[in-house]
Amino acid sequence: MDLEGVISNNPVKKDSWKTVLTLAFQSLGVVYGDLSTSPLYVYKSAFAEDIQHSETNEEIYGVLSFVFWTLTLIPLVKYVFIVLRADDNGEGGTFALYSLLCRHARVGSLPNCQLADEELSEYNKDVIFSNNKSLAGSRLKSTLEKHKLLQKVLLILALIGTCMVIGDGVLTPAISVFSAVSGLELSMSKEQHQYVEVPVACAILVFLFALQHYGTHRVGFLFAPVVITWLLCISAIGVYNIFYWNPHVYEALSPHYMYKFLKKTQKGGWMSLGGILLCITGSEAMFADLGHFSQLSIKIAFTFVVYPSLILAYMGQAAYLSKHHSIKSYYWIGFYVSVPEKIRWPVLAIAILAAVVGSQAIITGTFSIIKQCSALGCFPKVRIIHTSSKIHGQIYIPEINWTLMFLCLAVTVGFRDTKHMGNASGLAVITVMLVTTCLMSLVIVLCWHKSIFLAVCFIFFFGSIEALYFSASLIKFLEGAWVPVALSLIFLIVMYIWHYGTLKKYEFDVQNKVSINWLLSLGPSLGIVRVRGIGLIHTELVSGIPAIFSHFVTNLPAFHQVVVFLCIKSVPVPHVRPDERFLVGRVGPKEYRLYRCIARYGYRDVQKDDLEFEKDLICSIAEFIRSERRESNLGIEYLETEEKMTVVGTTSSNLDSVKMCEDDDDVSEIVGCSEMRELKHTEKATKRVTFLVPECPQIDLGAQEELQELMDAREAGMAFILGHCYVKAKSGSSLMKKLVINLGYDFLRRNSRGPTYALGIPRASTLEVGMIYLV
């Protein structure tokens, strides 16, 4: 099944209420698994060491008040009512915000952007509030576009948020599963349970990560029922505890109790905020997973199901603890102590299942965000396996999966308690939210064209709240908070080195590309023998002739009859429609048979397998040849460095385009009408290739001859020329640059994957050529 066609051809329309409610139900299992399990560890983390539970109940009421207002202001007000509206054509997350800014202020990190990319359907589809552009907003935009340093700061800010999300992918499974398993502590002594808790948690984590290879589509239908069962369970227990133990606990929702709490506990209360903020763990998933659902469905699920369930759960725990003060240790302030003893074992089982579902969501989200980073040139190429042919976004990355599992087990075995895990997870969560707040303030001005005053109010109000929690988390750096900092620093270094090296390599390609006059001086034969076949040269250049081609011409005795310069590039939009997939043009005069083909993908697009891609590539060139002389082309033309590019879609996106049949393909199924006629090759070949060309409008004799040559070349076979570049720093470069390029980037390049389409190419059809780049 063509996933890209399903996603890109999905029209924007108003969903029915049945569809919205179905999506809202499904979102409970994908989006809210992490957030819904936070009651397992919030109170335990808040009362770890910084504050004590006293007879006056000021501490427990103060914590409840902080939890209530934090859940209300951050997930409900900030995300549900504001941030969710800043989607990038339906996609959310840190890179979605960065992508929006890249398009509106031209501060993108992708070096090979073209004017043609701005004509994509999704490029400006998200522009709203575009009538009243403020002068201050225009000045801010020009300032960002002029200063490279500010662009780097913006990129690093987005990368920090992304790295913290990856760090959260390590910490969330550890703390969720460990907290769920901690219910065993009430059925055995402290000495016994610490020898049981860790092995059981590690076994569940190993099982969880081992299942990633098979995908979640087979059991995904169970996710939402598990989470909604858990939410009903904790809300019912909360209601029971409220009415049975303390019906007046609702008074603690007053902000006055926050003041009394801080006044009494002072520094200890401030430090306990690092545990309280865990109540909003997973809130970022509402925005990050927006692409799988709709804004309305996520808002309904949180506002009417998740939010009231969590408030009731926290109120119930506070009601129970307000009547039980003989607490010997913080182990007894956990979630399970407030659960009636008769139902603890069933609740323990449901909690473990909910923790697994919540962990699964963050693991899948980590895979997704690494794929986005790789597509935007900020992470080395990795092997991406699509575990479902029907559900978009179900991917598996082996290297990342096993790395996450190893780090997750190390955190679990190393810390062995929710206190240190909570400190680590809290810093990761609040850092991502701070980054979102900063980027959102820019989106308000640059994308929504609102006043700077409104953006300042947004960043001041929400930023001050998050800065308070950030300071409380950072103060516990030595007590576990160093873990997300260390993990993020490692990933940030990897991302920035890869991005820097990729940028320098592209700059070298641009500076050393071959002049068109050199090509014209060689003549149509290029000064060598042209043999049947298609030579596909992979290049990052979107215009001009790569230096590696001159290396072939001057050192090889013969070259292919048809040469295609292929560039697979990412554009700063989530999806590219199939009918806008390719940009095709000529390099040099027509008789040279040199073509350029640029395949464009969004950062959330699914690339086809090599056989489908190969067919689409050849058909796009054939369609370009057929439509070249028509007055009205199928696409929009652009003049860039002597090359006129035409937009051509995939074969599945345009029924009136050229189709290609090979070997035993059923021509009758592809033709489907009498308006198609065949151009057949008369000679017997090892692979029979047929082009199906629309009857009208008629094509001239020259185009027919060129199509015949393309068929002959395709029958003879296709050779893939892959250039292996060895990037080295120039002599005289700084020591830092030599370390980054010669050691860091070279190591990442040697251990990263090649182009996606090249993974399934037979080795006999591949020609690999090495070149040294001095940058």
Side-chain angles (χ1 to χ4, degrees):
M1 183 176 180
D2 184 6
L3 287 176
E4 67 172 18
V6 172
I7 296 300
S8 300
N9 288 325
N10 185 26
V12 178
K13 61 181 180 180
K14 188 176 181 179
D15 294 325
S16 65
W17 276 107
K18 182 180 178 181
T19 303
V20 170
L21 293 177
T22 302
L23 289 174
F25 176 75
Q26 293 173 347
S27 70
L28 291 172
V30 177
V31 178
Y32 298 109
D34 185 15
L35 183 61
S36 64
T37 55
S38 58
L40 289 170
Y41 44 79
V42 169
Y43 281 108
K44 181 183 285 190
S45 299
F47 285 90
E49 286 181 1
D50 304 314
I51 54 178
Q52 300 296 325
H53 183 35
S54 66
E55 296 284 344
T56 62
N57 288 328
E58 289 184 352
E59 293 84 1
I60 195 68
Y61 287 169
V63 171
L64 175 60
S65 185
F66 266 105
V67 167
F68 172 76
W69 287 105
T70 304
L71 275 172
T72 302
L73 293 177
I74 302 300
L76 186 62
V77 177
K78 176 187 171 183
Y79 280 94
V80 169
F81 292 110
I82 302 176
V83 175
L84 284 180
R85 298 175 65 235
D87 65 300
D88 182 12
N89 294 295
E91 300 292 338
T94 304
F95 258 94
L97 292 177
Y98 181 68
S99 174
L100 279 175
L101 296 172
C102 287
R103 300 206 303 273
H104 287 80
R106 300 183 187 273
V107 294
S109 59
L110 297 173
N112 53 358
C113 292
Q114 299 170 276
L115 290 176
D117 299 337
E118 298 184 11
E119 298 297 329
L120 290 169
S121 300
E122 294 197 359
Y123 200 91
N124 293 312
K125 191 169 66 177
D126 60 336
V127 176
I128 56 177
F129 310 123
S130 57
N131 295 328
N132 301 316
K133 296 185 179 181
S134 63
L135 179 61
S138 301
R139 289 178 178 176
L140 178 61
K141 177 182 176 181
S142 61
T143 302
L144 285 173
E145 292 175 347
K146 289 179 181 178
H147 296 84
K148 295 292 184 181
L149 179 61
L150 294 178
Q151 296 179 20
K152 289 182 179 180
V153 170
L154 190 62
L155 173 63
I156 292 175
L157 186 65
L159 291 181
I160 289 174
T162 302
C163 291
M164 282 295 181
V165 171
I166 298 173
D168 197 29
V170 173
L171 298 167
T172 291
I175 190 172
S176 296
V177 173
F178 190 86
S179 299
V181 174
S182 66
L184 297 171
E185 69 195 12
L186 299 180
S187 59
M188 59 186 70
S189 65
K190 181 179 179 181
E191 291 73 19
Q192 290 177 325
H193 85 75
Q194 62 184 357
Y195 293 107
V196 176
E197 227 173 3
V198 175
V200 171
C202 289
I204 294 174
L205 289 171
V206 171
F207 176 74
L208 174 63
F209 283 99
L211 285 180
Q212 298 302 312
H213 175 70
Y214 300 99
T216 59
H217 58 284
R218 293 182 178 88
V219 294
F221 68 94
L222 294 174
F223 286 0
V226 166
V227 173
I228 200 166
T229 302
W230 168 250
L231 290 172
L232 290 174
C233 178
I234 61 175
S235 57
I237 293 172
V239 171
Y240 168 80
N241 285 330
I242 291 171
F243 284 98
Y244 188 82
W245 295 109
N246 188 356
H248 299 286
V249 73
Y250 68 89
E251 296 175 359
L253 303 183
S254 170
H256 177 65
Y257 282 90
M258 291 192 291
Y259 169 75
K260 292 176 66 176
F261 171 76
L262 292 177
K263 183 179 179 180
K264 180 179 179 180
T265 57
Q266 297 181 0
K267 183 180 179 181
W270 167 62
M271 294 180 67
S272 70
L273 294 178
I276 295 173
L277 76 87
L278 294 177
C279 70
I280 54 175
T281 300
S283 299
E284 186 73 22
M286 285 192 288
F287 186 45
D289 293 330
L290 182 59
H292 301 290
F293 304 98
S294 64
Q295 288 187 31
L296 186 58
S297 63
I298 290 179
K299 290 178 179 179
I300 289 174
F302 180 79
T303 307
F304 296 103
V305 180
V306 179
Y307 178 73
S309 299
L310 290 176
I311 297 300
L312 289 174
Y314 287 118
M315 289 177 66
Q317 283 183 263
Y320 177 88
L321 293 173
S322 66
K323 299 300 181 180
H324 295 79
H325 303 94
S326 56
I327 306 297
K328 296 180 181 180
S329 69
Y330 85 99
Y331 283 97
W332 291 83
I333 303 193
F335 168 78
Y336 291 100
V337 72
S338 64
V339 178
E341 190 172 353
K342 293 182 180 179
I343 62 171
R344 276 181 186 166
W345 286 105
V347 171
L348 174 65
I350 298 173
I352 292 175
L353 289 175
V356 169
V357 170
S359 302
Q360 173 61 53
I362 193 66
I363 293 169
T364 304
T366 303
F367 292 158
S368 178
I369 201 166
I370 287 179
K371 177 181 178 293
Q372 294 178 30
C373 293
S374 181
L376 293 175
C378 294
F379 199 85
K381 300 294 182 183
V382 291
R383 183 188 179 195
I384 298 175
I385 299 173
H386 298 275
T387 58
S388 174
S389 60
K390 298 180 179 180
I391 304 175
H392 177 69
Q394 294 288 340
I395 62 175
Y396 168 70
I397 305 177
E399 299 93 334
I400 301 300
N401 182 67
W402 301 123
T403 302
L404 289 178
M405 188 190 77
F406 173 77
L407 294 173
C408 202
L409 292 175
V411 168
T412 304
V413 175
F415 286 154
R416 303 187 182 188
D417 62 62
T418 53
K419 172 191 170 184
H420 291 85
M421 292 183 193
N423 294 338
S425 180
L427 184 60
V429 168
I430 202 63
T431 303
V432 175
M433 292 184 175
L434 271 172
V435 170
T436 300
T437 300
C438 294
L439 295 179
M440 265 301 303
S441 62
L442 293 176
V443 169
I444 290 172
V445 177
L446 299 176
C447 305
W448 293 355
H449 306 294
K450 293 294 184 178
S451 67
I452 288 185
F453 175 75
L454 190 63
V456 170
C457 290
F458 176 85
I459 197 171
F460 178 78
F461 181 76
F462 293 107
S464 59
I465 297 173
E466 292 161 358
L468 178 65
Y469 282 116
F470 180 79
S471 63
S473 297
L474 198 60
I475 201 68
K476 298 181 179 180
F477 183 83
L478 299 178
E479 299 177 26
W482 60 269
V483 172
V485 175
L487 291 176
S488 300
L489 184 61
I490 293 171
F491 279 104
L492 181 63
I493 291 173
V494 169
M495 288 181 176
Y496 198 78
I497 286 177
W498 182 260
H499 174 72
Y500 179 78
T502 303
L503 191 62
K504 289 298 179 183
K505 174 179 171 294
Y506 184 80
E507 290 175 355
F508 181 89
D509 281 334
V510 171
Q511 294 170 1
N512 292 272
K513 61 184 179 181
V514 180
S515 169
I516 189 69
N517 293 328
W518 172 83
L519 182 70
L520 295 175
S521 66
L522 297 177
S525 66
L526 302 180
I528 53 177
V529 179
R530 303 289 291 271
V531 297
R532 287 183 63 200
I534 298 177
L536 191 66
I537 301 177
H538 181 260
T539 177
E540 299 295 332
L541 292 176
V542 294
S543 64
I545 304 170
I548 197 171
F549 181 67
S550 64
H551 183 70
F552 296 146
V553 172
T554 54
N555 290 277
L556 296 178
F559 211 69
H560 300 88
Q561 173 188 4
V562 175
V563 177
V564 180
F565 297 105
L566 174 64
C567 173
I568 298 180
K569 59 178 286 188
S570 295
V571 290
V573 294
H575 302 288
V576 175
R577 292 172 57 87
D579 57 352
E580 300 173 327
R581 174 72 65 217
F582 295 103
L583 281 175
V584 185
R586 295 188 185 276
V587 179
K590 183 177 181 179
E591 59 271 16
Y592 280 56
R593 300 298 189 256
L594 301 178
Y595 305 95
R596 180 180 309 283
C597 187
I598 301 172
R600 302 179 293 181
Y601 289 90
Y603 57 80
R604 292 295 297 270
D605 271 333
V606 178
Q607 295 191 20
K608 292 185 176 181
D609 59 66
D610 54 292
L611 294 178
E612 273 192 285
F613 179 80
E614 195 176 305
K615 276 190 174 183
D616 278 342
L617 179 66
I618 301 302
C619 287
S620 68
I621 297 174
E623 178 64 19
F624 165 74
I625 294 171
R626 181 182 76 91
S627 61
E628 187 180 23
R629 295 202 174 193
R630 291 162 54 189
E631 291 182 2
S632 176
N633 285 337
L634 294 178
I636 304 171
E637 297 183 351
Y638 298 88
L639 189 62
E640 293 184 357
T641 61
E642 303 176 359
E643 294 179 25
K644 187 164 56 177
M645 307 296 290
T646 301
V647 177
V648 181
T650 60
T651 53
S652 61
S653 66
N654 188 357
L655 297 178
D656 296 327
S657 64
V658 176
K659 303 292 189 295
M660 182 176 70
C661 298
E662 294 181 333
D663 293 335
D664 298 327
D665 289 346
D666 190 351
V667 176
S668 62
E669 290 185 5
I670 299 178
V671 175
C673 64
S674 59
E675 293 184 357
M676 308 290 282
R677 60 188 173 84
E678 302 178 9
L679 289 174
K680 295 183 179 178
H681 184 50
T682 55
E683 297 179 8
K684 187 175 181 180
T686 56
K687 178 180 284 188
R688 176 176 172 270
V689 177
T690 303
F691 278 150
L692 304 173
V693 184
E695 189 71 39
C696 295
Q698 293 287 342
I699 57 176
D700 59 21
L701 183 61
Q704 291 187 35
E705 292 176 354
E706 194 170 357
L707 285 172
Q708 188 69 50
E709 285 189 33
L710 184 61
M711 274 196 300
D712 293 342
R714 182 67 187 93
E715 286 181 351
M718 181 180 292
F720 295 81
I721 296 93
L722 302 176
H724 282 276
C725 58
Y726 299 90
V727 182
K728 300 292 181 183
K730 295 179 181 178
S731 58
S733 300
S734 64
L735 178 62
M736 180 60 70
K737 185 176 182 179
K738 289 181 179 179
L739 290 174
V740 168
I741 297 296
N742 297 349
L743 295 180
Y745 182 75
D746 185 64
F747 174 80
L748 295 175
R749 181 196 58 79
R750 285 188 282 108
N751 290 278
S752 65
R753 297 269 171 170
T756 305
Y757 71 89
L759 297 179
I761 300 171
R763 303 301 294 178
S765 302
T766 306
L767 176 62
E768 299 183 8
V769 180
M771 289 187 67
I772 297 178
Y773 285 24
L774 297 176
V775 298

